[in-house]
Amino acid sequence: MSRAGKYPVKLSDGVVASIADGKLVIKGPKGELAVPMDTKNAHLVDVKVEDGHVYVAPKDAEDKASRAMWGTMTRNIRNAVEGVTHGFSKAMYMKGVGYKASVSGKKFTLVVGFSHDVVKEIPDGLTVTMGDTPTEFTISGTDKCAVGLFADEIHKIRKADPYKAKGIFYKGEKVRRKEGKKK
């Protein structure tokens, strides 16, 4: 069982938190994020900001849903603080003949073996930077969830093929190769 909720979230230097309009607003050097506290289960916990820390406590310590939301809300706040302080990123690369990517403004274009180019709109708050080669890129931003969702969208365009070892990969992703048919 996780003990994530028991420890208060320490606000780093330059990070300010305040509660307004049912949201915990966290401002830092990389931007501003709001953690909603008026969602379906967020009412099960109490959140308060005191002397450089954010404290989260369950309203009913015996209620299982309240205890679960205690850890979830603490992790969401911790991720928001880390996001406005350091940010999050996902490094990705592509393998395949003719595969390449490019960024122009808020458009991310992928050439991945289809009869057409795949053009994705880069969501607000995220940036896509190209690596040393046209097959490497990094998705970064302050919101961990938004970075992961956009990276997953890109990954699903051309999943890794275990037979040919081509597709779009996360850096460090292991794809177990399969043997083809034997005659």
Side-chain angles (χ1 to χ4, degrees):
M1 181 168 103
S2 175
R3 307 277 191 290
K6 290 188 177 187
Y7 305 105
V9 179
K10 185 179 185 315
L11 299 176
S12 309
D13 293 334
V15 177
V16 179
S18 61
I19 298 172
D21 299 328
K23 296 177 185 171
L24 176 68
V25 179
I26 300 171
K27 296 177 186 175
K30 291 211 176 240
E32 177 181 314
L33 285 175
V35 178
M37 296 189 319
D38 56 356
T39 58
K40 180 181 173 187
N41 291 324
H43 68 279
L44 299 171
V45 294
D46 289 322
V47 179
K48 58 185 174 182
V49 180
E50 290 179 357
D51 47 282
H53 289 81
V54 179
Y55 296 94
V56 182
K59 286 190 178 175
D60 181 12
E62 300 301 317
D63 182 31
K64 187 174 182 178
S66 185
R67 286 193 322 267
M69 199 60 196
W70 180 26
T72 301
M73 186 62 82
T74 302
R75 283 295 179 190
N76 289 344
I77 294 167
R78 186 165 287 139
N79 285 338
V81 169
E82 187 176 337
V84 298
T85 307
H86 305 294
F88 294 100
S89 65
K90 291 261 188 191
M92 301 177 81
Y93 67 97
M94 301 185 295
K95 271 192 204 173
V97 177
Y99 284 22
K100 61 184 175 183
S102 63
V103 177
S104 102
K106 292 296 274 178
K107 301 276 185 198
F108 184 49
T109 307
L110 297 157
V111 179
V112 288
F114 295 126
S115 62
H116 60 282
D117 296 349
V118 179
V119 180
K120 285 288 196 179
E121 186 78 23
I122 300 171
D124 292 336
L126 298 183
T127 58
V128 177
T129 54
M130 296 304 297
D132 298 334
T133 64
T135 60
E136 296 177 359
F137 54 93
T138 303
I139 300 168
S140 55
T142 55
D143 188 359
K144 186 175 186 176
C145 183
V147 170
L149 282 174
F150 188 64
D152 188 49
E153 277 182 37
I154 299 300
H155 183 69
K156 284 181 180 176
I157 291 171
R158 189 64 108 171
K159 284 190 177 180
D161 182 10
Y163 294 101
K164 299 176 186 170
K166 66 181 197 176
I168 302 174
F169 301 85
Y170 294 110
K171 287 256 170 105
E173 178 182 12
K174 303 272 192 235
V175 176
R176 196 169 139 227
R177 293 292 309 269
K178 292 184 178 180
E179 194 174 321
K181 289 184 180 178
K182 293 182 182 178
K183 290 185 179 186

